[in-house]
PDB file of all heavy atoms in Angstrom:
ATOM      1  N   LEU V 108     105.537 107.053  21.983  1.00 96.00           N
ATOM      2  CA  LEU V 108     106.469 106.321  21.128  1.00 96.00           C
ATOM      3  C   LEU V 108     105.730 105.694  19.945  1.00 96.00           C
ATOM      4  O   LEU V 108     106.246 105.696  18.817  1.00 96.00           O
ATOM      5  CB  LEU V 108     107.188 105.238  21.937  1.00 96.00           C
ATOM      6  CG  LEU V 108     108.146 104.346  21.136  1.00 96.00           C
ATOM      7  CD1 LEU V 108     109.270 105.166  20.523  1.00 96.00           C
ATOM      8  CD2 LEU V 108     108.709 103.228  22.028  1.00 96.00           C
ATOM      9  N   VAL V 109     104.540 105.182  20.194  1.00 96.00           N
ATOM     10  CA  VAL V 109     103.757 104.573  19.107  1.00 96.00           C
ATOM     11  C   VAL V 109     103.433 105.615  18.037  1.00 96.00           C
ATOM     12  O   VAL V 109     103.623 105.381  16.831  1.00 96.00           O
ATOM     13  CB  VAL V 109     102.455 103.949  19.647  1.00 96.00           C
ATOM     14  CG1 VAL V 109     101.617 103.387  18.487  1.00 96.00           C
ATOM     15  CG2 VAL V 109     102.769 102.855  20.658  1.00 96.00           C
ATOM     16  N   PHE V 110     102.952 106.785  18.454  1.00 96.00           N
ATOM     17  CA  PHE V 110     102.658 107.845  17.496  1.00 96.00           C
ATOM     18  C   PHE V 110     103.928 108.287  16.758  1.00 96.00           C
ATOM     19  O   PHE V 110     103.891 108.600  15.570  1.00 96.00           O
ATOM     20  CB  PHE V 110     102.021 109.045  18.208  1.00 96.00           C
ATOM     21  CG  PHE V 110     100.586 108.843  18.575  1.00 96.00           C
ATOM     22  CD1 PHE V 110     100.184 108.867  19.906  1.00 96.00           C
ATOM     23  CD2 PHE V 110      99.617 108.640  17.596  1.00 96.00           C
ATOM     24  CE1 PHE V 110      98.850 108.682  20.248  1.00 96.00           C
ATOM     25  CE2 PHE V 110      98.288 108.458  17.929  1.00 96.00           C
ATOM     26  CZ  PHE V 110      97.902 108.478  19.258  1.00 96.00           C
ATOM     27  N   ALA V 111     105.059 108.302  17.461  1.00 97.00           N
ATOM     28  CA  ALA V 111     106.322 108.695  16.831  1.00 97.00           C
ATOM     29  C   ALA V 111     106.748 107.684  15.776  1.00 97.00           C
ATOM     30  O   ALA V 111     107.241 108.060  14.701  1.00 97.00           O
ATOM     31  CB  ALA V 111     107.409 108.842  17.895  1.00 97.00           C
ATOM     32  N   VAL V 112     106.573 106.404  16.058  1.00 97.00           N
ATOM     33  CA  VAL V 112     106.928 105.358  15.086  1.00 97.00           C
ATOM     34  C   VAL V 112     106.049 105.460  13.845  1.00 97.00           C
ATOM     35  O   VAL V 112     106.538 105.348  12.708  1.00 97.00           O
ATOM     36  CB  VAL V 112     106.805 103.958  15.727  1.00 97.00           C
ATOM     37  CG1 VAL V 112     106.901 102.860  14.672  1.00 97.00           C
ATOM     38  CG2 VAL V 112     107.886 103.767  16.783  1.00 97.00           C
ATOM     39  N   PHE V 113     104.759 105.683  14.039  1.00 97.00           N
ATOM     40  CA  PHE V 113     103.860 105.848  12.891  1.00 97.00           C
ATOM     41  C   PHE V 113     104.247 107.077  12.075  1.00 97.00           C
ATOM     42  O   PHE V 113     104.224 107.057  10.838  1.00 97.00           O
ATOM     43  CB  PHE V 113     102.408 105.947  13.361  1.00 97.00           C
ATOM     44  CG  PHE V 113     101.716 104.622  13.433  1.00 97.00           C
ATOM     45  CD1 PHE V 113     101.720 103.877  14.604  1.00 97.00           C
ATOM     46  CD2 PHE V 113     101.070 104.096  12.321  1.00 97.00           C
ATOM     47  CE1 PHE V 113     101.095 102.644  14.666  1.00 97.00           C
ATOM     48  CE2 PHE V 113     100.439 102.868  12.365  1.00 97.00           C
ATOM     49  CZ  PHE V 113     100.451 102.132  13.542  1.00 97.00           C
ATOM     50  N   ALA V 114     104.612 108.167  12.756  1.00 97.00           N
ATOM     51  CA  ALA V 114     105.038 109.372  12.051  1.00 97.00           C
ATOM     52  C   ALA V 114     106.315 109.103  11.260  1.00 97.00           C
ATOM     53  O   ALA V 114     106.461 109.533  10.107  1.00 97.00           O
ATOM     54  CB  ALA V 114     105.260 110.511  13.047  1.00 97.00           C
ATOM     55  N   PHE V 115     107.264 108.396  11.872  1.00 98.00           N
ATOM     56  CA  PHE V 115     108.533 108.057  11.217  1.00 98.00           C
ATOM     57  C   PHE V 115     108.276 107.294   9.921  1.00 98.00           C
ATOM     58  O   PHE V 115     108.831 107.633   8.865  1.00 98.00           O
ATOM     59  CB  PHE V 115     109.382 107.223  12.181  1.00 98.00           C
ATOM     60  CG  PHE V 115     110.713 106.813  11.625  1.00 98.00           C
ATOM     61  CD1 PHE V 115     111.837 107.588  11.836  1.00 98.00           C
ATOM     62  CD2 PHE V 115     110.841 105.640  10.891  1.00 98.00           C
ATOM     63  CE1 PHE V 115     113.074 107.209  11.326  1.00 98.00           C
ATOM     64  CE2 PHE V 115     112.065 105.250  10.370  1.00 98.00           C
ATOM     65  CZ  PHE V 115     113.186 106.040  10.587  1.00 98.00           C
TER      66      PHE V 115
END
Side-chain angles (χ1 to χ4, degrees):
L108 177 62
V109 177
F110 284 118
V112 169
F113 269 91
F115 180 92

